[in-house]
Amino acid sequence: MTRPARPVIELRAVSKIYGSGDTVVRAVDGVDLVVERGDYVAVMGASGSGKSTLMNIIGCLDAPTRGRYLLDGVDTRLLDEKRQAIIRNRKIGFIFQSFNLIPRTSAVSNVELPLAYAGIRPGERRRRALAALDQVGLTARANHGPSQLSGGQQQRVAIARAIATNPVLLLADEPTGALDSRSTAEVLDLFDELNVAGRTVVVITHEEEVAAHAKRVLRMRDGKVLSDERVAGPAGRPPRWSAEHAPQARVTS
Amino acid sequence: MNLRESARFAVRGVMANKLRSLLTMSGILIGVAAVIILIAAGTGASASVQKSVSSLGSNTLTITSTTTGAGSRGGGARGGAGGLGALGGAARAGGGGFGGAGGAGGAASSSTVNNGTLVQQPQLTLDDAQALVDETQAPDVASVAPVVTAPSVTATYEGASHTVGTFTGSTPSYLTNDNDSLQAGVPISDSDYTARKRICLVGTTVAVDLIGGDGSAILGQTVQFNGIAYQVVGILTAKGSSGPQDQDDRVVAPLTAVQDTLTGYGTISSISVKAASSTEVTAAQDEVTSILNQRHHVTAANEDFSIFNPTSILSALGTITGVFTILLGGVAGISLLVGGIGVMNIMLVTVTERTREIGIRKAIGAQKSDIVGQFLMEAVMLSVFGGLIGVVIGVLVGQLQFGTFQLVVAPYSVVLAFGVSVAIGLFFGIYPANRAASLRPIDALRYE
């Protein structure tokens, strides 16, 4: 008998409520969600649907007003600010719409940053950062600053930074929102590869093109989950993935 | 995250905006340099005052009469006068005549009798000087030299003439009391003194004026002082000038000979007393005061003499220059404070500018302490670099000399200024750093 694997995300009746009385806004309204290890979930919705608030809660950037949130089995309500920072560092890899690389800092230093905050020694840090850059196919650009990289390359550096700490969850907020179609395809292929390699991916998006890559699509409106559509099993391949279509990334782990 | 990491991030932050960092540093730089330079000016002033006061004779007290009046050249009656009462009383007799009044004057009333004219005579005598050489009552007095000064003496030598600034008659111990030495010749000996020999030591100004050249040719020559021949046996080492007074325009001769020829045998101008050591100057002063009070039948309230103590002058001047130094340092300290506010100002701007960066760092796992460390380090770095350059500039400028006024860099001012600049970096860095660290990641990430 094997114990079922601990889900990566477990939301229990989570709400985020702003204001009070007549002006009360339920940005997230009683959402239940379980994301299994290895799943690839797209959360869709128009702006104001609550998907960004949900992403902040899942990313431990914001605390829910009500309900429970277990990240990799850890109840986040019990965490103080310091522990929340540690959780973000160890368990979550963030990918933002605007890349959010530190300016005037080389690609490899950007990738090293979460490792530095994790307290890893410089030699080991550099090795792991270069490995992560290799995974996104940017080894040659390791010493370039963000301003010397294209949007697609910057986003790949950001992805390298997100996977460098080997987190249980990759959390992407509109990752292709600022990219042209070619770069978008590159990034989405990279997500497919990472998912095939076993990483759990949650993507917040309003683009159908992005959602088409996910194994499971959640649609939100007014803070509630409107629909929850399963395209492929959590353990399977992402629907758009094909071996010959693999990008320049050499997935190793 | 260790200190080195924070330092690396901080260096990157400082270098990101070089001109701004440089300008911010210059505030601290100017403050630190100003503190060092102004304290150096104060210390230099104090050193130069000390130097000129100590040239007056270290460990030496000079006793002068406080009642100056006409007839300083009394009759010969005083020569070997004995009784204490006679001396004290005679001095008080007022009016100008004395001697005869001697014993009868009575000590008790004498000091208040001045006939309303307020004219009294100088009353230091050779016997006063003699009385100070007393191992039981004045154990701290090492040597005593009575001094007479002959006014308006003109020296002539082979047609050249020179008005002597100070013509001093004293005992052989005068030279040590007055911190004098000879650059040529021999000093006055005890036998010269008792033999009333008409010999003299001349200062360089006198020597040069009379004979030209470097003045050394005067040695052994006979010079006329107010028509009386003295042989020059020594040349006094040059002392330079103290303020407007030329300390080398002088002649020293045996007191006996001077009384014989120029001043007569009345009272003496002053008594120079050397204490056994610098720590005993005050004790010697007390002993001398009590002996003279006793001899003159006066008390502290109506003393008729005053004791010039260079040590006390020195300490008084030391207090003044000390206050002066603190004042200058304080003014400079204000500019250091202004520099510190500059650091705080720029750090607040930096934090606002980099709000988004702070958000990113927090999102990927930076703790509050990491952010505080980074920005605090940046502020300290600005002030430390500024401080270091300020120290270099301050110490360099501190080597300058303006005429005779030499700046003296006080080591404590360097440590103080640099320490304060680091403290300022910490103090003015804490608020902006805390502000950065307290930003909520979602707000910081949303910031444009």
Side-chain angles (χ1 to χ4, degrees), chain A residues 56 61-62 81-83 85-86 88-89 92 94 96 98 100-106 109-110 112-114 116-119 122 125-126 161, chain B residues 1 4-5 8-9 12 16-17 354 356-357 359-371 374 437-442 445-446 448:
Chain A
N56 286 339
L61 294 167
D62 206 354
E81 200 187 319
K82 187 184 164 106
R83 292 240 167 70
I86 293 174
R88 284 198 297 269
N89 184 247
I92 304 170
F94 284 98
F96 303 95
S98 49
N100 280 350
L101 299 178
I102 308 281
R104 291 177 295 271
T105 303
S106 68
S109 294
N110 261 295
E112 277 186 32
L113 205 56
Y117 288 129
R125 200 194 293 165
R126 176 62 50 123
R161 183 176 67 186
Chain B
M1 268 281 280
R4 243 187 55 204
E5 292 301 325
R8 251 173 26 131
F9 289 143
R12 201 169 282 154
N17 212 324
R354 283 154 66 187
R356 201 177 171 82
E357 178 192 324
I360 300 166
R361 286 177 184 276
K362 288 193 110 173
I364 63 174
Q367 313 220 340
K368 222 171 156 168
S369 57
D370 296 328
I371 304 291
Q374 179 185 343
S438 310
L439 287 168
R440 282 164 28 130
I442 38 172
L445 278 172
R446 213 175 285 148
E448 291 299 334

Side-chain angles (χ1 to χ4, degrees), chain B residues 261-426:
Chain B
T261 57
L262 294 165
T263 62
Y265 304 99
T267 57
I268 55 175
S269 315
S270 63
I271 303 171
S272 161
V273 173
K274 193 175 180 74
S277 78
S278 59
T279 53
E280 283 147 16
V281 176
T282 312
Q285 182 172 5
D286 292 343
E287 290 157 13
V288 165
T289 307
S290 96
I291 291 170
L292 290 179
N293 279 350
Q294 210 178 340
R295 285 176 63 85
H296 292 186
H297 299 277
V298 292
T299 61
N302 57 356
E303 262 167 19
D304 56 353
F305 57 89
S306 75
I307 299 178
F308 173 71
N309 182 348
T311 314
S312 67
I313 299 281
L314 203 61
S315 73
L317 287 173
T319 313
I320 293 167
T321 52
V323 169
F324 182 59
T325 307
I326 290 169
L327 209 74
L328 287 175
V331 171
I334 290 170
S335 69
L336 196 51
L337 191 75
V338 172
I341 292 169
V343 169
M344 183 159 171
N345 193 10
I346 234 51
M347 286 314 297
L348 285 172
V349 170
T350 300
V351 166
T352 309
E353 262 186 6
R354 283 154 66 187
T355 299
R356 201 177 171 82
E357 178 192 324
I358 293 162
I360 300 166
R361 286 177 184 276
K362 288 193 110 173
I364 63 174
Q367 313 220 340
K368 222 171 156 168
S369 57
D370 296 328
I371 304 291
V372 170
Q374 179 185 343
F375 284 92
L376 198 54
M377 190 71 95
E378 205 171 311
V380 170
M381 224 166 249
L382 285 174
S383 58
V384 164
F385 285 154
L388 278 177
I389 302 170
V391 164
V392 170
I393 292 175
V395 168
L396 285 180
V397 173
Q399 310 304 314
L400 293 181
Q401 189 168 8
F402 303 98
T404 58
F405 179 60
Q406 164 81 57
L407 293 174
V408 178
V409 174
Y412 81 88
S413 72
V414 175
V415 177
L416 181 86
F418 185 66
V420 167
S421 74
V422 175
I424 275 179
L426 278 173

Side-chain angles (χ1 to χ4, degrees), chain B residues 90-361:
Chain B
R92 298 299 162 128
F98 67 88
S109 58
S110 65
S111 59
T112 53
V113 176
N114 53 24
N115 300 338
T117 61
L118 286 169
V119 177
Q120 286 184 309
Q121 288 200 336
Q123 45 236 307
L124 291 172
T125 65
L126 272 177
D127 295 300
D128 285 335
Q130 203 63 51
L132 297 179
V133 185
D134 186 330
E135 288 208 355
T136 50
Q137 279 198 71
D140 295 312
V141 172
S143 72
V144 177
V147 173
V148 293
T149 310
S152 39
V153 172
T154 304
T156 50
Y157 173 76
E158 289 184 352
S161 110
H162 172 79
T163 306
V164 179
T166 315
F167 194 101
T168 303
S170 190
T171 57
S173 55
Y174 177 77
L175 289 194
T176 49
N177 280 23
D178 197 44
N179 260 12
D180 286 321
S181 58
L182 295 178
Q183 66 184 45
V186 292
I188 298 165
S189 70
D190 285 333
S191 58
D192 295 332
Y193 180 78
T194 46
R196 314 179 94 83
K197 267 197 181 164
R198 294 179 187 178
I199 56 170
C200 67
L201 311 170
V202 297
T204 50
T205 304
V206 179
V208 169
D209 227 23
L210 289 178
I211 206 157
D214 65 351
S216 57
I218 198 87
L219 203 61
Q221 303 301 318
T222 301
V223 175
Q224 310 279 328
F225 293 104
N226 285 2
I228 293 140
Y230 278 77
Q231 190 189 10
V232 177
V233 297
I235 299 173
L236 293 158
T237 308
K239 273 183 147 179
S241 54
S242 144
Q245 197 191 346
D246 180 358
Q247 296 192 82
D248 298 316
D249 184 8
R250 61 194 193 128
V251 175
V252 178
L255 179 128
T256 47
V258 176
Q259 285 191 324
D260 284 345
T261 57
L262 294 165
T263 62
Y265 304 99
T267 57
I268 55 175
S269 315
S270 63
I271 303 171
S272 161
V273 173
K274 193 175 180 74
S277 78
S278 59
T279 53
E280 283 147 16
V281 176
T282 312
Q285 182 172 5
D286 292 343
E287 290 157 13
V288 165
T289 307
S290 96
I291 291 170
L292 290 179
N293 279 350
Q294 210 178 340
R295 285 176 63 85
H296 292 186
H297 299 277
V298 292
T299 61
N302 57 356
E303 262 167 19
D304 56 353
F305 57 89
S306 75
I307 299 178
F308 173 71
N309 182 348
T311 314
S312 67
I313 299 281
L314 203 61
S315 73
L317 287 173
T319 313
I320 293 167
T321 52
V323 169
F324 182 59
T325 307
I326 290 169
L327 209 74
L328 287 175
V331 171
I334 290 170
S335 69
L336 196 51
L337 191 75
V338 172
I341 292 169
V343 169
M344 183 159 171
N345 193 10
I346 234 51
M347 286 314 297
L348 285 172
V349 170
T350 300
V351 166
T352 309
E353 262 186 6
R354 283 154 66 187
T355 299
R356 201 177 171 82
E357 178 192 324
I358 293 162
I360 300 166
R361 286 177 184 276

